[in-house]
Amino acid sequence: MVAMLLYALLPLFWLLVNASKSRDHLYNSFALWFAGDFALFENIYRVFTFNDGIFLRWFGNTVLYVVVGGGGAALLATLAGYGLAKYRFPGRRAVLAVILGAIAIPGSALAVPQFLMFSGLGLTNTPAAVIIPSLISAFGLYLIWVYAAEAVPDEMIEAARLDGASELRIFMSISFRQLMPAVITVLMFSLVATWNNYFLPLIMLSDPAWYPLPVGLNQWASAASSIGGNAIPELVITGSLLTVIPIAGAFLYLQRYWQSGLTAGSVK
């Protein structure tokens, strides 16, 4: 347990320590402890003002991709998973087979075909090229489908229908409450996956103004190796620390609802 805790926290501690150093002390001091003047706030100011504040633009792009792409993926997975679990229609088994097969395909294997398809549609170098692929979550759909099959009794749905409730009201008032733990789980995974998405935006986007944070920070990190490039390692490290904080906060906040949802109904 202690080894796992150190493995999880040591990179964050390294980021915090080195984000507080000036460039000179970054190269000439012990990497796992503070040295020199505490320059964290100066580095944060330089991150937000460097290159006309492009970091804020990348942050806004990332929030857009996460809210629309990650949130949309959780919503679509919930609707589709519930529909597959509770409704019978022709082709249902074929749909399930396709979903199970899609889970086994890594996202990087689909990146090039997706780029060719979006290039043919003229959507590359636009936010749509990042958001639309992010809306599809085969794992999330599978998780909702399995959870809905067990957590939402068919007898409860039939009783609501006999009372005259519409399908929309049954889903919103009854089924969605039962699905909440699975929905929060899918939402957490979708948000983290979209926030950390690197390869897809890298091949879809060529305009730095549309970059998300992972691609933008990599551009800063690779600037030193380009001809005439300006090395800014202290800004890359500080920007990485600022990138971790929002997604870690969102994960911890949503975890509260996940835990409370798992225990809901356990006590009469």
Side-chain angles (χ1 to χ4, degrees):
M1 181 64 73
V2 175
M4 293 178 62
L5 188 63
L6 289 175
Y7 180 78
L9 294 181
L10 192 60
L12 294 177
F13 181 72
W14 185 93
L15 271 180
L16 177 62
V17 167
N18 290 281
S20 68
K21 298 178 181 178
S22 63
R23 187 180 304 180
D24 293 336
H25 289 97
L26 185 62
Y27 289 119
N28 301 314
S29 63
F30 182 54
L32 289 177
W33 198 244
F34 302 92
D37 297 332
F38 191 77
L40 176 61
F41 298 109
E42 179 184 351
N43 288 337
I44 292 176
Y45 175 77
R46 291 181 59 205
V47 165
F48 284 113
T49 57
F50 183 78
N51 197 12
D52 297 327
I54 190 64
F55 184 85
L56 277 176
R57 177 63 185 261
W58 293 339
F59 183 84
N61 294 339
T62 305
V63 171
L64 172 67
Y65 301 149
V66 166
V67 172
V68 181
L75 176 63
L76 292 177
T78 301
L79 296 176
Y82 175 77
L84 286 170
K86 293 302 169 185
Y87 296 97
R88 302 294 181 267
F89 52 87
R92 177 173 171 271
R93 290 184 179 276
V95 173
L96 294 178
V98 171
I99 293 170
L100 292 175
I103 293 175
I105 302 175
S108 57
L110 300 175
V112 174
Q114 287 174 344
F115 171 78
L116 296 176
M117 183 174 64
F118 279 88
S119 178
L121 295 173
L123 294 176
T124 51
N125 202 31
T126 67
V130 179
I131 292 174
I132 292 177
S134 301
L135 291 174
I136 308 302
S137 174
F139 172 75
L141 193 155
Y142 176 75
L143 182 62
I144 295 291
W145 164 49
V146 172
Y147 193 88
E150 298 296 331
V152 185
D154 293 337
E155 295 80 5
M156 185 172 63
I157 296 176
E158 290 298 329
R161 288 170 179 163
L162 291 175
D163 289 340
S166 64
E167 297 298 327
L168 179 61
R169 183 175 182 183
I170 293 172
F171 175 76
M172 297 299 296
S173 302
I174 301 175
S175 302
F176 190 74
R177 296 174 184 271
Q178 305 296 323
L179 294 174
M180 186 57 71
V183 173
I184 294 298
T185 302
V186 172
L187 181 62
M188 286 196 302
F189 280 105
S190 299
L191 295 183
V192 173
T194 309
W195 187 276
N196 295 328
N197 195 1
Y198 172 76
F199 188 60
L200 182 66
L202 180 66
I203 66 171
M204 289 288 189
L205 304 174
S206 58
D207 186 356
W210 289 117
Y211 283 174
L213 285 170
V215 180
L217 289 174
N218 181 67
Q219 186 188 51
W220 278 4
S222 59
S225 59
S226 61
I227 299 176
N230 181 25
I232 47 175
E234 71 279 13
L235 300 191
V236 175
I237 293 173
T238 306
S240 300
L241 177 65
L242 296 175
T243 302
V244 169
I245 293 174
I247 192 62
F251 193 90
L252 294 175
Y253 179 78
L254 290 175
Q255 190 183 38
R256 299 168 49 197
Y257 295 95
W258 180 62
Q259 291 176 338
S260 62
L262 286 179
T263 57
S266 59
V267 179
K268 293 184 179 178

